[in-house]
Structure formats: structure tokens, C-alpha cells
Amino acid sequence: MAQSKKKWVAFKSNATVPGDVMGEDNDQKMQVGEPVQLPESYANHVVQDGFAAFCDAPKKTAPKKSGGGQSAEEKAAAEAAQKLAAAQQAVSDADLHLKSVAGTADEGEAREALAAAEAELDALQSAS
């Protein structure tokens, strides 16, 4: 399965991607919010089904000359920012889904999903 075009996505929950999709022998376990580059068709599939959201490629940072890396506080702040961004994307995705199913039998379920995503975002915002 040789596909040249790829997209970056971040999964909304821990997920397993089949090895053949990744071009590897073994399935790959993905962590919440961690950017991963997938073949375009599979990336579109997991985003459309609500398992992931499109994201930017991870930024490459130059290694620090002193101290040898991020402090625990810096790591916690970066992780909190990443969770907040993922929650904001989840609200945006849920809102778009609700708009797409408005007036159908799926509207109630979409409203519940939006409310849950908004509650999670509110909890993260009040914690920071």
C-alpha cells in the first residue's frame, strides 16, 4: 500500500493503527493528542469517524545547551496546552457534526456529544 500523500492527525483517545496502514509489520499504538502522520485516506477516515482531528506537524526544537531538557513544570504546561487544544478541536468537530445532522434522528446524540466535549473543555480551562 504505497501512498505518497500523508496527513497529520492527533487521536482523541488511545487507538491502534493497523501495521499495514503504517507500512510496518506490527500494529502501532497511538497516544491521545500525539501527532502522527498517516496515509491521507486513512487520516480522512479516522477524522470523519470522530476518532481523531487533523493537526499540524510537531515542531522540531533545538536541544537546550544547559539543563538537558524540559523541567517537569515545562512538560506539564506543554501537556496541559496539548490537552486543551485537543479539547477545543473536539468541541469544534462536535459542533460541525451537530450542524451536519440537524433535523435528523442523529441530532439528539450529536447534541449530547457536543455537551460532553464542551464540559471536558470547561473542566480543562478551569484547571489551568
Side-chain angles (χ1 to χ4, degrees), residues 5-67:
K5 193 159 186 180
K6 296 189 174 198
K7 290 185 177 182
W8 286 95
V9 299
F11 282 87
K12 296 177 183 179
S13 63
N14 291 340
T16 302
V17 176
D20 61 336
V21 169
M22 300 288 291
E24 299 181 12
D25 293 333
N26 298 322
D27 294 349
Q28 300 294 310
K29 295 185 187 264
M30 302 298 158
Q31 300 298 315
V32 174
E34 185 176 317
V36 61
Q37 195 173 31
L38 297 173
E40 181 180 26
S41 62
Y42 193 79
N44 291 339
H45 163 69
V46 295
V47 169
Q48 179 68 31
D49 287 350
F51 298 116
F54 292 116
C55 67
D56 294 326
K59 295 179 181 170
K60 295 181 181 178
T61 58
K64 293 183 179 180
K65 294 181 181 178
S66 62

